[in-house]
Amino acid sequence: MSQKNKSPRQVELEQAALFYHRYPNPGKLEIHPTTPLGNQRDLALAYSPGVAAPCEAIHDDPKTAAEYTARSNLVAVVSNGTAVLGLGNIGPLAAKPVMEGKAVLFKKFANIDVFDIEIDANDIPHIVDTVAALEPTFGGINLEDIKAPECFEVEEQLRERMNIPVFHDDQHGTAIIVGAAVINGLELAHKNIKDVKIVASGAGAAALACLNLLVRLGAKKENIWVSDLEGVVYEGREALMDRWKSVYAQKTDARKLDDIIGDADIFLGVSAGNVLKPEMVAKMAKTPLILALANPTPEIMPEEARKVRPDAMICTGRSDYPNQVNNVLCFPYIFRGALDVGATAINEEMKAAAVYAIAALAKEEPSDVAARAYSGEALNFGPNYLIPSPFDPRLILRISPAVAKAAMESGVATRPITDMNAYIDKLNRFVFRSGLIMKPVFAAAKSAQHKRVIYADGEDERVLRAAQIVLEDQTAVPILIGRPEVVEARLKRFGLRIRPGKDFELINPQNDPRYRDYVDLLLHYTGRRGVTPEAAKTIVRTSTTAIAALAVMRDEADAMICGLGGRFSRNLQLVDQIIGLENKVGQFSALSLLISQRGTLFLTDTYVNTDPTAEQIVEMAALAAEEVRGFGIEPKVALLSHSNFGSKDTDSAKKMRKASEILAERFPDLESDGEMHGDAALSQILRDRVFPGSRLKGEANLLVFPNLDAANITLNVVKNLTDALHVGPILLGTARPAHILTTSVTSRGVVNMTALAVLEANTKRNQKQNG
């Protein structure tokens, strides 16, 4: 598509994507060693002469490769670039960004290492020979974006030749999720899969894999009707036919989709946008299930389908509608289960196990933690929740064990799991280190419609860029404070499309009709705290933080963000004077979240309390723990010290020891302990060496520090050493949502804090409504 035919939003998104892929280093992944190489002995063990020992061991027993190499956790994502996303045959080199993206998903969702391999091979024998030769390197092969019908033959031949799992995700990933949606949709419609009529639009890799799996689940081939570019697939048709498609050829005179859609119970669309017309939907059976999976434009938009059939259950491939069919729902977890038992294949039993695990998860009641993480989003099984969210943290806990069990029971597991409970516990530990915890926050923020966030630093480039993003993503309704001429000039300079008065409200701090009202309200809050009328006028004229806080208190905004300019302490003073503390809270505190390749870690108090008392530490730990639960994570609290369970008796150690005792007494259900060293907090092994009776199990995810120096220094050192993303500081204890960022925050950081502010505003509103 030429640039002139693209919308401004699409052009801007493409420019942002190019920047994302180029900086800080080209691409999306790199390789890190997992063993130390700190001295000559390490080098001798890692390479010559020490490496000869594992080489000989593997030569004597090939199974030991799983013990001495990374092969058992290494997957190849292989493509020849002949059917890439919606781009078609763009070739292997142009397909590399997509394959790198797939590699990142494997790592983030299931901790599986991946090499992306793009091959310049188009004929089937060449593809098969090339991929088959890779078997010594990998524990599994994920075929990606290879066009049909060649992909069927390639996978079939590779499965015969290779003794490791070979999985064409375009086919089976989609099929597994569709299978789960069909099982649950038919249950709600009180229909039997053996009796339903299925009509498919599209006969490529994904469509045929879906139909094949539905047949395995009980659908009858005589009840399945297929249409593609040439029309209905019928007996005797010669154009665009192959042996896989011919299985579904019907003896019929029907030639168009419209001819076969009547009385259909299920529509499966894996084709092109807008091919399913409303009048066709009207002819479908009672309580139809519509799987309109073309992206970005489905075969029919859900709202159009519901106009004619309010009883329809609808799935799409889009994230902005319920029931998103997204391959990330299953492929990382299927490979996780297969690799963990050394499976020689991903067979039909394993795929069926994944289908039923996904279907069952949608029926589970959400845990308290999950419900808080997806605040405002319906999580109850029903027409709008046939399949789980792709970011449900329980997916790996349900799918991987189910796949592993199926592999063992069907005889393809070479390393059976002997303790399934221990295996699930290991997966559970990974879930909360995956670094994907901001996703439910954004999902909840988007569902909390029309929450207004006011930005005190509205002239700052980072705020302007963030405002455009939150508008596009429908995260919040931004209100900016800034001089109109400055904001207009900077929007133009930075090439941003949004405009004041049209896309967002702009408050001019030098000339706003509410000036006198703001002054009067400020005096109401601060008149007995040393602020004179003249001083109040000056503050409102000169402090955008004060204006933002006053706007929140006047219910002109639901949350505020400031701090990109000015001192943290001065901004906090204004927030304290105007918004104040929440009821029964004694002091403010700041929570910081670090998201790195290693996982996620919360730290408190990183910005407010210089030397808190034991009682203050207990309060800020409790506030932080509640905030952590808002991310869908059960907090594990470690109170840190230079003393390790009584090894020192300094005043600081005694304070943290006392705080730990009070915290455990007041919040017995909160997993916490202290005082302890930082390394003991992050390692069960180290902790057990000094105090095996600790109340804390596994790795701590919330670190509580004895003073501001320790917390802030640790935050900034760890952030820079690990190249972690800092989300925060998250100001805790405010009567209304208010966050004071730091001068080093990026526009990405402003966007993250906007989502958190919206979530907090929605939570406080719900609490108020519920009394």
Side-chain angles (χ1 to χ4, degrees), residues 315-594:
C315 300
T316 71
R318 293 173 51 139
S319 61
D320 54 346
Y321 288 96
N323 296 323
Q324 183 192 11
V325 176
N326 186 331
N327 287 11
V328 80
L329 258 170
C330 68
F331 74 80
Y333 316 121
I334 289 172
F335 268 97
R336 179 74 279 155
L339 292 173
D340 289 340
V341 295
T344 57
I346 295 176
N347 57 26
E348 297 306 312
E349 291 84 355
M350 295 159 75
K351 286 186 267 184
V355 170
Y356 290 114
I358 294 170
L361 178 56
K363 299 174 190 176
E364 288 188 32
E365 288 188 8
S367 66
D368 291 342
V369 173
R372 278 192 291 269
Y374 285 88
S375 174
E377 181 179 339
L379 287 173
N380 295 319
F381 178 56
N384 287 325
Y385 196 71
L386 295 174
I387 48 178
S389 161
F391 289 88
D392 191 315
R394 298 169 295 176
L395 284 164
I396 193 172
L397 304 176
R398 302 295 185 271
I399 299 174
S400 298
V403 169
K405 287 178 183 176
M408 292 188 289
E409 291 169 0
S410 61
V412 297
T414 61
R415 297 190 307 276
I417 294 170
T418 55
D419 188 340
M420 190 58 68
N421 289 332
Y423 174 62
I424 294 172
D425 183 59
K426 179 182 176 182
L427 295 177
N428 196 52
R429 290 198 301 273
F430 165 73
V431 167
F432 301 114
R433 289 177 48 187
S434 66
L436 291 165
I437 63 170
M438 285 303 295
K439 182 63 183 177
V441 173
F442 277 93
K446 190 170 182 178
S447 68
Q449 308 231 335
H450 308 304
K451 285 291 178 286
R452 303 155 300 168
V453 177
I454 187 165
Y455 301 86
D457 305 288
E459 297 177 0
D460 193 289
E461 176 188 356
R462 294 165 292 179
V463 168
L464 295 172
R465 293 190 181 279
Q468 179 155 306
I469 293 170
V470 300
L471 276 167
E472 289 178 349
D473 294 344
Q474 300 177 9
T475 305
V477 178
I479 303 170
L480 275 57
I481 303 174
R483 293 162 293 178
E485 65 277 12
V486 175
V487 171
E488 288 277 12
R490 292 183 178 178
L491 288 170
K492 186 175 181 181
R493 183 198 309 169
F494 303 137
L496 300 175
R497 291 182 291 100
I498 57 174
R499 289 294 177 266
K502 177 184 176 184
D503 300 300
F504 63 91
E505 180 186 346
L506 181 65
I507 295 176
N508 182 358
Q510 297 179 338
N511 183 22
D512 189 271
R514 294 165 290 190
Y515 170 71
R516 290 187 181 278
D517 295 330
Y518 285 153
V519 171
D520 290 342
L521 186 59
L522 180 59
L523 275 172
H524 171 74
Y525 290 125
T526 63
R528 293 182 180 273
R529 301 175 70 175
V531 177
T532 66
E534 284 303 314
K537 292 177 183 178
T538 302
I539 291 172
V540 174
R541 283 286 188 206
T542 59
S543 174
T544 55
T545 295
I547 295 173
L550 290 165
V552 170
M553 297 307 291
R554 283 167 51 88
D555 291 323
E556 295 167 357
D558 299 295
M560 67 169 281
I561 289 177
C562 64
L564 282 79
R567 301 175 68 138
F568 187 94
S569 58
R570 175 55 181 159
N571 285 312
L572 180 60
Q573 182 184 24
L574 288 166
V575 170
D576 183 19
Q577 290 176 333
I578 298 169
I579 292 178
L581 288 163
E582 190 173 9
N583 187 32
K584 297 182 180 179
V585 173
Q587 79 278 329
F588 297 109
S589 59
L591 176 69
S592 288
L593 164 61
L594 291 179

Side-chain angles (χ1 to χ4, degrees), residues 656-677:
M656 296 306 285
R657 197 176 307 151
K658 180 180 179 182
S660 177
E661 292 168 357
I662 298 171
L663 187 66
E665 181 181 346
R666 291 186 187 171
F667 303 95
D669 294 333
L670 177 62
E671 191 173 329
S672 68
D673 210 343
E675 84 287 10
M676 70 179 74
H677 287 173

Side-chain angles (χ1 to χ4, degrees), residues 190-244:
H190 305 291
K191 297 178 182 179
N192 191 313
I193 194 170
K194 296 179 181 179
D195 304 321
V196 296
K197 177 181 179 180
I198 301 171
V199 173
S201 174
L208 292 177
C210 290
L211 296 176
N212 292 341
L213 184 56
L214 291 178
V215 169
R216 178 173 178 79
L217 294 174
K220 302 295 185 183
K221 288 182 181 178
E222 57 265 28
N223 294 336
I224 296 175
W225 300 74
V226 180
S227 176
D228 62 7
L229 288 172
E230 285 291 319
V232 172
V233 174
Y234 61 90
E235 288 184 5
R237 199 184 97 175
E238 296 181 357
L240 290 181
M241 292 297 289
D242 54 60
R243 65 184 176 94
W244 296 278

Side-chain angles (χ1 to χ4, degrees), residues 113-276:
D113 296 316
V114 167
F115 290 151
D116 63 290
I117 297 179
E118 296 74 32
I119 59 175
D120 188 7
N122 288 320
D123 60 281
I124 292 172
H126 191 182
I127 298 171
V128 171
D129 288 342
T130 301
V131 177
L134 300 172
E135 184 168 348
T137 302
F138 297 100
I141 303 291
N142 184 93
L143 300 175
E144 193 79 12
D145 294 349
I146 300 172
K147 70 181 181 72
E150 289 90 338
C151 61
F152 301 118
E153 190 68 45
V154 166
E155 185 190 40
E156 193 173 285
Q157 290 190 27
L158 286 173
R159 290 182 66 176
E160 291 175 358
R161 286 180 57 172
M162 303 184 78
N163 206 36
I164 57 175
V166 178
F167 188 81
H168 186 207
D169 184 45
D170 298 329
Q171 294 182 55
H172 308 300
T174 303
I176 287 166
I177 305 161
V178 164
V182 167
I183 286 173
N184 284 344
L186 293 182
E187 179 179 326
L188 289 172
H190 305 291
K191 297 178 182 179
N192 191 313
I193 194 170
K194 296 179 181 179
D195 304 321
V196 296
K197 177 181 179 180
I198 301 171
V199 173
S201 174
L208 292 177
C210 290
L211 296 176
N212 292 341
L213 184 56
L214 291 178
V215 169
R216 178 173 178 79
L217 294 174
K220 302 295 185 183
K221 288 182 181 178
E222 57 265 28
N223 294 336
I224 296 175
W225 300 74
V226 180
S227 176
D228 62 7
L229 288 172
E230 285 291 319
V232 172
V233 174
Y234 61 90
E235 288 184 5
R237 199 184 97 175
E238 296 181 357
L240 290 181
M241 292 297 289
D242 54 60
R243 65 184 176 94
W244 296 278
K245 193 185 303 183
S246 296
V247 171
Y248 297 103
Q250 293 275 15
K251 187 175 182 179
T252 180
D253 294 328
R255 294 296 181 264
K256 298 183 297 183
L257 177 61
D258 190 34
D259 297 335
I260 58 175
I261 195 67
D263 295 322
D265 298 282
I266 298 172
F267 170 80
L268 172 64
V270 196
S271 52
N274 300 316
V275 301
L276 183 65

